[in-house]
Amino acid sequence: MLRNLAFAALFVAAPALAKDLVVEAGPKAQERLQSALLDARPGDTVRIGAGRFELTDGLSLDVNGVTVRGAGPGSTVLSFKGQLGAGEGLLVTSDDVVLRDFAVEDSKGDGIKSKGADRIVYKNVRVEWTGGPKATNGAYGVYPVESEDVLIDGVTVIGASDAGIYVGQSSRIIVRNSVAKYNVAGIEIENSGYAEVHGNQVSHNTGGILVFDLPALPRRGAGRVAVWGNSVVDNDTPNFAPKGNIVASVPTGTGVLIMAQDMVQVGNNMLSGNGTANIMVVAYRQPFDDKGYDPIPHDIYISVNKHGRAGFAPAMPGGPLLAAAMGGAIPPILWDGTGGSEVRLVVNDNVPVLGLGLALGASLETARPAEVKLSGPIAAPLAPIALPPAMEAAAR
Amino acid sequence: MKALFGAAALFAAALLGRPVGVNDAAITADGYPAHLSDYAFFTDLASRAPAQRLFRYDLETPLFSDYAEKERYLYLPAGTRARYDPDKALDLPIGAALIKTFGYRVDGAFKPLETRVLLHRAGGWTPIPYVWNAAGTDADIRRAGTRIPVTFTDPAGERHAISYAVPNQNQCKDCHGLAGQVTPIGIKARYLNHGGQLEKMLAAGMLDRLPVDAPRVARWDDHAAPLDGRARAWLEINCAHCHNPQGAASNSGLFLDLARTDPEQRGLFKRPTAAGRGAGTRDFDIVPGDPDASILLYRLQSTDPGIAMPELGRATVHKEGVALVRAWIAGMPKSGAKR
């Protein structure tokens, strides 16, 4: 008990001793910046000055409770153009970390990865591949994985060859007020649960917002994902992902894509200019051995979204023929029909829904496209995600 | 402070003409001694002559690090011994140290580049990298890592000029992290059990026991040994420190430890998770019978930092290791192209 008290006192006293470790641009930036990330103690801030930091290797942080803060994403630029090693620009493996006000450019692999890093805040950060969308760009922009409590707020990701903002195998997640453009996938919530994606601008990706549950991963998605109040507009960049990845199968012009995940609510979004569909709901179609995996989505509620033009260039196999047969465009909401009524898909948007009537594992050629009526009672909204107050404070 | 005290004690011992032992305080005290010499692991640094209770060892199948040669030592404090474990790393006491010097041969002589120490302190294992000076008389701490231009000739006679990477202290944990704790990797019975090494440790009183059925891995380049054992040993030592359920690549679902039996977890017809462009244009980690369709091989053959595996410590392709894994995958029965 006494020891606990002493420990508590130490903990409370820590912020008073918190210090700034200041790193300015200039020669030996790699070593000075990495040294600061190693020397920081809990409560400290690694303050990165304005300017370009030319880096040759990935940076990493493994100290709890550290803030890494730049002078703004237009001013403090960590450039990995000359990167020779490591799989990402910045790797965070500790808890209670705040990353804010800087940019990561042109990393060879992922931009910023945080793994097993609970209560992490990404605020006002930019990750960009400056040459535009290219298959040689790194995979993920910001990439928290295997974490509890994730806040991504005011982040911009441009040019990721997989997903711009990717949250995987995590829970209690908020992605808000962020911009994802010219990525293959704009925002992806994968094998995760208890997530809110709202107030984001998602444009010119191949696919805008993806909510996936995939087999053969250590952690399954728990569902309960709310996608609301986003602008998902003009996602029209041809898919430039390497073929083997799951996102390589996302058709160009996809707005919101829900695959195999349960309890997803899509509401109050502005959806327009998505040539394949504004919203798609599908089962996982690949063969799998994972016995506990359910490839069919359940409890999907779509309501009160604003739909602009969509379905005018459906990029899935047979899409152009289908569009021609339907007078030039297919309906803005597309459901593969797999699982039938078991899916419990409720659509209350004022637009038609195209059902494909596909059996599980059947090829797209066997589709029996037909308009389907799916309106029904509106579900009670998912409980809002409440992150620890310290995280919200750090994001202000 | 304690390091200073340790240095003073060493100096006093030298003056008195006593045999100089390792500076135990430098291992166990908090902090980061500035020089490799502070530990007194070597009685003469220029020749790297080991102090007492340093046990030189090597691994039957070692991690590939840009064809660097490695001198490995285990240090155990007086009165202690390692505890045998059939599966995990030997259980080493507080105060133990693992010392690994990397270097290349220049005109036939081994020239050290860096020495990584792994110190067993009360709070856990602490990794610290040291980089040798040009004269080869001592090595200085480089917690933030560095790069060193290196030229060398590989065993096939090919010349390489590379930017050799000394890892930063956190990157040590990328490989040595197991369930969030830094842990030794190579010092496992199955990697040490050759050339009488474990017997020597036992005889020297540095190991508590040695069962007759202690496991051993295949030597990766022993062409007389079964291909499966060689390839899996090579994959384990090079990959499984990350690719296991408690390692840095836990989220990948690809697990390459030797004990793993589930075919999909081992990569067979396993789709990538977050491989990004590391997948190339391939669909599965391993396609039995088809190495050129296997992501695993694609990543082993690359030196691009966004593609190459392992992510750290490799600026060259391990041609001989790639050939081994290629032959292993090629030799797997094709499973009716079921996908």
Side-chain angles (χ1 to χ4, degrees), chain B residues 1 20 50 55 57 60 69 72 125 137 162 170 197 204 212 330 334:
Chain B
M1 195 61 183
V20 174
F55 180 79
Y57 66 95
E60 186 72 320
E69 283 183 40
R72 300 177 190 79
W125 287 93
T137 53
I162 64 166
N170 287 339
Q197 287 191 132
V212 289
K334 294 195 183 192

Side-chain angles (χ1 to χ4, degrees), chain A residues 62-66 92-97 115-120:
Chain A
D62 189 37
V63 182
N64 293 339
V66 170
V92 177
T93 49
S94 47
D95 298 335
D96 300 294
V97 165
K115 180 167 185 285
D118 296 340
R119 297 174 299 283
I120 187 158

Side-chain angles (χ1 to χ4, degrees), chain B residues 4-328:
Chain B
L4 198 66
F5 176 77
L10 284 177
F11 183 66
L15 282 182
L16 294 168
R18 290 198 189 123
V20 174
V22 167
N23 179 1
D24 287 301
I27 297 173
T28 54
D30 288 340
Y32 303 104
H35 306 287
L36 184 61
S37 54
D38 293 339
Y39 300 92
F41 287 133
F42 303 99
T43 55
D44 174 46
L45 272 160
S47 65
R48 295 176 316 288
Q52 286 180 12
R53 301 193 62 81
L54 255 70
F55 180 79
R56 174 127 188 209
Y57 66 95
D58 61 33
L59 308 186
E60 186 72 320
T61 288
L63 170 78
F64 173 76
S65 311
D66 282 333
Y67 292 103
E69 283 183 40
K70 302 171 190 177
E71 293 178 349
R72 300 177 190 79
Y73 289 95
L74 163 67
Y75 168 74
L76 293 174
T80 68
R81 55 184 61 178
R83 288 224 307 261
Y84 174 85
D85 189 298
D87 304 315
K88 300 198 286 273
L90 301 182
D91 183 8
L92 303 177
I94 305 287
L98 294 162
I99 306 111
K100 182 155 69 164
T101 300
F102 295 67
Y104 291 92
R105 234 152 248 288
V106 177
D107 300 328
F110 180 80
K111 184 172 184 297
L113 277 183
E114 58 157 336
T115 295
R116 304 178 191 171
V117 302
L118 198 52
L119 312 172
H120 200 187
R121 293 175 167 174
W125 287 93
T126 304
I128 311 178
Y130 291 86
V131 173
W132 285 77
N133 61 28
T137 53
D138 202 348
D140 304 328
I141 191 165
R142 288 300 273 273
R143 290 180 69 205
T146 191
R147 285 188 169 269
I148 307 170
V150 165
T151 56
F152 64 92
T153 305
D154 72 23
E158 188 186 340
R159 289 286 288 170
H160 296 266
I162 64 166
S163 175
Y164 177 93
V166 176
N168 74 54
Q169 204 175 3
N170 287 339
Q171 289 175 326
C172 299
K173 194 175 173 180
D174 278 7
C175 294
H176 284 274
L178 197 70
Q181 301 298 313
V182 174
T183 311
I185 296 170
I187 191 131
K188 295 184 176 85
R190 61 182 178 276
Y191 286 93
L192 300 173
N193 192 8
H194 64 98
Q197 287 191 132
L198 288 174
E199 289 79 358
K200 267 181 230 159
M201 277 184 74
L202 187 71
M206 296 178 84
L207 185 63
D208 66 339
R209 68 192 177 95
L210 179 58
V212 289
D213 62 347
R216 67 201 316 169
V217 296
R219 208 178 84 205
W220 74 280
D221 59 352
D222 174 8
H223 293 270
L227 184 61
D228 184 66
R230 293 162 53 208
R232 290 198 63 192
W234 189 91
L235 286 169
E236 179 177 74
I237 201 71
N238 281 285
C239 317
H241 42 80
C242 281
H243 281 282
N244 77 75
Q246 297 180 306
S250 59
N251 57 301
S252 69
L254 175 67
F255 303 136
L256 295 168
D257 39 319
L258 265 171
R260 190 76 31 190
T261 54
D262 181 280
E264 188 170 25
Q265 288 184 0
R266 285 170 49 191
L268 276 73
F269 286 119
K270 185 194 175 301
R271 290 180 190 279
T273 306
R277 67 194 183 95
T281 57
R282 305 174 184 195
D283 289 326
F284 302 106
D285 291 351
I286 295 174
V287 178
D290 196 351
D292 289 316
S294 302
I295 292 170
L296 193 86
L297 210 66
Y298 177 70
R299 305 195 78 165
L300 292 178
Q301 291 174 143
S302 176
T303 53
D304 180 322
I307 297 169
M309 285 285 158
E311 287 182 339
L312 299 172
R314 186 167 79 69
T316 50
V317 174
H318 188 201
K319 286 175 290 191
E320 299 78 7
V322 165
L324 170 65
V325 175
R326 172 178 288 282
W328 178 63

Side-chain angles (χ1 to χ4, degrees), chain A residues 226 263 265 378-384:
Chain A
M263 189 50 86
Q265 297 187 355
I378 292 176
L382 293 165

Side-chain angles (χ1 to χ4, degrees), chain A residues 28 30-31 34-35 37-39 56-62 83-88 91 93 108-110 113 115 135-140 143 145-146 161-162 166 169 190 216-218 242-246 284 286-290, chain B residues 32 141-147 163 165 168-171 173-174 245-255 264 268-284 295 303-307 311-312 314 338-339:
Chain A
K28 295 202 160 189
Q30 178 82 42
E31 189 159 356
Q34 184 58 56
S35 292
L37 294 170
L38 288 163
D39 291 342
T56 56
D57 281 276
L59 299 165
S60 51
L61 173 65
D62 189 37
Q83 188 176 7
L84 297 169
E88 55 282 305
L91 174 67
T93 49
K108 301 293 187 210
D110 306 313
K113 178 176 180 180
K115 180 167 185 285
T136 50
N137 291 351
Y140 299 101
Y143 175 14
V145 65
E146 288 187 348
S161 68
D162 200 306
Y166 171 96
Q169 303 182 57
E190 186 172 283
L217 292 185
K243 177 175 136 310
N245 288 282
I246 188 80
Y284 180 77
Q286 312 278 12
F288 61 90
D289 291 329
D290 183 343
Chain B
Y32 303 104
I141 191 165
R142 288 300 273 273
R143 290 180 69 205
T146 191
R147 285 188 169 269
S163 175
N168 74 54
Q169 204 175 3
N170 287 339
Q171 289 175 326
K173 194 175 173 180
D174 278 7
Q246 297 180 306
S250 59
N251 57 301
S252 69
L254 175 67
F255 303 136
E264 188 170 25
L268 276 73
F269 286 119
K270 185 194 175 301
R271 290 180 190 279
T273 306
R277 67 194 183 95
T281 57
R282 305 174 184 195
D283 289 326
F284 302 106
I295 292 170
T303 53
D304 180 322
I307 297 169
E311 287 182 339
L312 299 172
R314 186 167 79 69
K338 64 172 176 171
R339 305 180 200 210

